[in-house]
Amino acid sequence: MNKISKQLYVRRFLVHNYLRLKNFLRYDSWVMFTGVDIETTSICNRKCKFCPNKFNNREKKLMTEDLFYKIINELSKINYCGRISPHLYGEPLLDSRLNKFIKYTRKKCPNSFIQVFSNGDYLTKKIFINLIKAGTDLIFITQYDGRINRNVRLVLDWINKEKRWYRRNILVRVPKTFEGNRAGLIKELRIKRPYVESCPLPFEKLAINYKGDILLCCNDYYGKYPIGNCKKDSLLNIWRSKKFNQIRKILKHRQRDKLSLCKDCNFRTEDYLIEEMAIWGEDKY
């Protein structure tokens, strides 16, 4: 582990334990989600080679407004103050309801950190301003072409020249490699045998697809392993369910081979440390 990764590990370790203590005091539980991904749309304009969207065989659907509001209302009732992101595998800027959803989320969950993940293809100055005014804390752009696209560059140039205070509200990343195999769906990155280690995702992240299914984790692209559906039950009931806890117990004992979704997955804890720092706007390593 080099010097930078050690620093990253220590920072994440401290943040992780702070959140665990906070969750215990607030929810009487050491295991509580600190990030919520809500797929308001499954539609994406890209078919990247490292993403399951390239298969183009998933339904193109929108989450109903009633379901979105139900999710946010439940988060509001528990005074949720973690991250909320309207995304999973869809491109949120393709959802015309996004501003309305952000405004509602900010009103109901005033202490949450609202972060929009986007490929940036549809970002404009007007869209950026509207999202910030609606209550977005951070727009996290990942450009997959090895360069920053012209439309994103125009927004960045405008911010740097005229609205420098907006710099805290946008982060642009241009990754050079893509290592995640999405639970084995990306054949080029498949592993020979299951990893003998745990995974932090089912302990800290709540992933909800457009159908309202709460997934084992965000790598369940097709929603084959739902833990429950938030149309029929509450978020907390599903999160604390016997089924979810049993999965966590298996992962805690580093037995990925016993879980169909996890046995082919190459996601590692150190990947999570880096991902979380990026998610919270600290992608500076």
Side-chain angles (χ1 to χ4, degrees), residues 107-129:
K107 178 181 177 181
K108 301 295 288 188
C109 301
N111 298 316
S112 64
F113 186 87
I114 302 175
Q115 182 163 340
V116 173
F117 291 88
S118 172
N119 59 36
D121 289 350
Y122 294 91
L123 185 68
T124 64
K125 184 171 71 173
K126 181 179 179 180
I127 288 174
F128 175 84
I129 292 172

Side-chain angles (χ1 to χ4, degrees), residues 251-263:
L251 288 173
K252 190 174 182 179
H253 287 88
R254 304 190 300 172
Q255 298 172 323
R256 289 196 187 191
D257 58 307
K258 291 187 176 182
L259 298 171
S260 298
L261 183 70
C262 305
K263 65 181 181 180

Side-chain angles (χ1 to χ4, degrees), residues 201-203 205-209 212-218 220 222-251 259-262:
L201 296 180
F203 294 85
K205 274 193 178 184
L206 190 63
I208 309 171
N209 69 12
D213 289 332
I214 292 181
L215 308 176
L216 192 161
C217 89
C218 56
D220 188 5
Y222 291 110
K224 290 183 177 181
Y225 307 98
I227 307 300
N229 188 285
C230 50
K231 291 179 183 177
K232 304 173 182 178
D233 204 349
S234 72
L235 301 179
L236 283 184
N237 282 347
I238 297 171
W239 180 258
R240 295 171 173 173
S241 66
K242 182 178 179 180
K243 183 177 181 179
F244 222 153
N245 285 330
Q246 181 60 33
I247 289 171
R248 295 186 187 109
K249 184 177 180 180
I250 292 171
L251 288 173
L259 298 171
S260 298
L261 183 70
C262 305

Side-chain angles (χ1 to χ4, degrees), residues 87-103:
H87 92 119
L88 194 58
Y89 284 97
E91 168 52 50
L93 297 189
L94 289 175
D95 191 340
S96 62
R97 309 166 300 172
L98 185 59
N99 278 356
K100 179 168 62 174
F101 286 166
I102 295 294
K103 286 180 181 178

Side-chain angles (χ1 to χ4, degrees), residues 125-160:
K125 184 171 71 173
K126 181 179 179 180
I127 288 174
F128 175 84
I129 292 172
N130 287 339
L131 284 173
I132 301 306
K133 286 183 176 180
T136 303
D137 291 293
L138 182 66
I139 301 173
F140 191 100
I141 305 293
T142 304
Q143 295 274 258
Y144 299 107
D145 301 315
R147 59 180 174 79
I148 298 177
N149 292 350
R150 183 176 181 274
N151 63 305
V152 176
R153 175 57 64 192
L154 288 173
V155 173
L156 292 176
D157 289 345
W158 166 72
I159 291 172
N160 287 330

